[in-house]
Amino acid sequence: MTAQISRTALKSRYRVSGDLVLDTALHLGGGRNPAKGTDSPILRDGFGKPYLPGSSLKGALRAAVERIAPNLNVSACGLFASDEAPGSEANVASFCLTPLREEHPARKAYRELEEGISKPLSKELKEKAEKHLKNGAYQLSTNAPISEELLVGVLEKNLCEVCKAFGAPFIGSAVYFHDAAIDEKRWLGLTQVRDGVGIDRDSGRAVDRIKYDYEIVPPQTVFKFSMTIETGEATALGLAALALHELQQGNVPLGGIRSRGLGRCHLESKTTKVEALDFGNIESLKAYLTKNELKPLTLDEFIQQHIKNLWAEQEANHV
């Protein structure tokens, strides 16, 4: 058995880098700091400059993918996955281990398999796993050693596609987001402080003594966006391409106070480059290891190619 989500060997790598431009002001809170002279200062690096953490970028882009994936027949657990058993009618397609409670029988069954790796599979644990976990590309045999290959096979059937691509408590991510530093050449070195007030929902008037302020990075500021994708799986590559498409189109707001217009941004197509490496091609690998050469692609080429592949794969799986 060859599991699709195996991370044992690199198949391909893509490096994406480009300019992330703010269309509106951005507020990415850095916690309370009275020394900054505002109720809610922005996040800054060790040199006092604003930056975008990779974790914030990943969360926003993953959420954007989870909203669209079901329309492409791609499973995504999001925040609303069913807590029913995997065999129930309501949960045949959306079942995923990630959002379940720790005490959920499916999670407990997998954790017991994980803790018993290299040990013989007991009859009791075999029955528990078969009852609470989806069966598919793996075979559970009593007294046979629990192998890493078996665990990966279990995850293949019991994680949604978004978790397989972007990571889960059970498996690492194939998509890596890096901190985005501010482009100092296109930044004036200034931030702004805006005022806000509490509003009485009944009267529509400002509430007395509920005034606050918050710091923002001004519009048209540019951050240096970068991410790395290490997988040859068509679905994972398609979901990464879908994330980049939404960022390119300005559909992934960042930071806080987004419902009032802050955080709108877009990834510039013209300045974004994609570099590809096929580890299965020995000449490509030699060029990378000896000359650091990678195959160049445009952002549009990467997005169109892998969303098309994603679409084709899902259509084939649902014939």
Side-chain angles (χ1 to χ4, degrees):
M1 177 195 71
T2 302
Q4 290 186 4
I5 57 173
S6 174
R7 303 282 196 265
T8 56
L10 283 173
K11 297 178 182 178
S12 61
R13 173 184 290 155
Y14 297 86
R15 293 176 177 171
V16 183
S17 58
D19 293 336
L20 185 62
V21 183
L22 297 185
D23 298 313
T24 62
L26 169 75
H27 174 73
L28 192 62
R32 288 188 171 275
N33 187 346
K36 295 297 181 182
T38 176
D39 297 321
S40 183
I42 58 172
L43 189 64
R44 298 172 183 270
D45 63 18
F47 298 98
K49 300 167 187 172
Y51 79 102
L52 300 176
S55 57
S56 297
L57 292 166
K58 178 177 181 178
L61 286 164
R62 179 172 181 159
V65 168
E66 287 173 340
R67 290 194 294 269
I68 298 177
N71 297 292
L72 301 174
N73 291 319
V74 178
S75 58
C77 63
L79 298 176
F80 307 105
S82 173
D83 205 28
E84 301 295 327
S88 66
E89 292 184 8
N91 204 27
V92 171
S94 63
F95 178 77
C96 181
L97 288 171
T98 300
L100 302 181
R101 313 182 302 272
E102 282 296 335
E103 63 271 19
H104 190 281
R107 266 213 179 200
K108 292 175 70 174
Y110 176 77
R111 289 301 188 194
E112 288 186 43
L113 285 173
E114 188 178 44
E115 292 167 3
I117 192 167
S118 300
K119 299 177 182 177
L121 178 66
S122 67
K123 180 180 179 180
E124 179 185 5
L125 182 52
K126 177 179 181 293
E127 292 175 350
K128 184 185 294 186
E130 290 177 338
K131 178 180 179 181
H132 298 294
L133 295 168
K134 276 187 175 182
N135 293 294
Y138 61 92
Q139 296 293 326
L140 295 175
S141 302
T142 305
N143 296 323
I146 300 173
S147 64
E148 182 179 343
E149 186 180 25
L150 183 144
L151 291 175
V152 172
V154 172
L155 291 177
E156 176 66 38
K157 299 299 293 184
N158 292 274
L159 290 177
C160 72
E161 296 296 342
V162 174
C163 283
K164 293 174 194 176
F166 288 90
F170 311 92
I171 190 169
S173 176
V175 185
Y176 303 91
F177 294 86
H178 314 300
D179 290 351
I182 201 163
D183 186 345
E184 296 185 57
K185 295 180 181 178
R186 299 168 68 179
W187 180 50
L188 297 177
L190 303 174
T191 61
Q192 300 170 350
V193 175
R194 289 186 178 179
D195 292 323
V197 294
I199 300 296
D200 186 302
R201 300 304 178 198
D202 294 324
S203 67
R205 297 179 178 178
V207 180
D208 291 340
R209 290 179 290 183
I210 302 185
K211 179 186 176 298
Y212 60 94
D213 54 45
Y214 53 92
E215 188 179 18
I216 60 161
V217 181
Q220 301 309 308
T221 301
V222 178
F223 291 89
K224 307 304 290 183
F225 173 86
S226 63
M227 65 185 283
T228 302
I229 308 163
E230 292 188 343
T231 180
E233 302 153 20
T235 300
L237 283 168
L239 293 176
L242 181 60
L244 289 169
H245 176 272
E246 289 302 282
L247 189 59
Q248 178 193 44
Q249 297 300 314
N251 296 325
V252 186
L254 301 173
I257 321 180
R258 291 175 294 180
S259 64
R260 284 178 271 170
L262 270 64
R264 307 300 301 185
C265 61
H266 72 275
L267 184 62
E268 283 192 343
S269 300
K270 293 181 179 180
T271 60
T272 299
K273 65 178 182 178
V274 182
E275 298 173 301
L277 171 61
D278 181 359
F279 283 90
N281 184 318
I282 190 63
E283 293 304 320
S284 174
L285 185 57
K286 282 182 179 179
Y288 167 67
L289 294 176
T290 59
K291 303 176 184 178
N292 201 28
E293 291 182 359
L294 297 169
K295 179 183 177 181
L297 297 170
T298 67
L299 178 61
D300 288 335
E301 286 174 338
F302 176 83
I303 291 174
Q304 291 169 14
Q305 175 188 340
H306 291 293
I307 289 184
K308 186 182 296 184
N309 292 344
L310 172 64
W311 202 293
E313 181 175 86
Q314 295 310 309
E315 286 183 338
N317 291 338
H318 291 85
V319 171

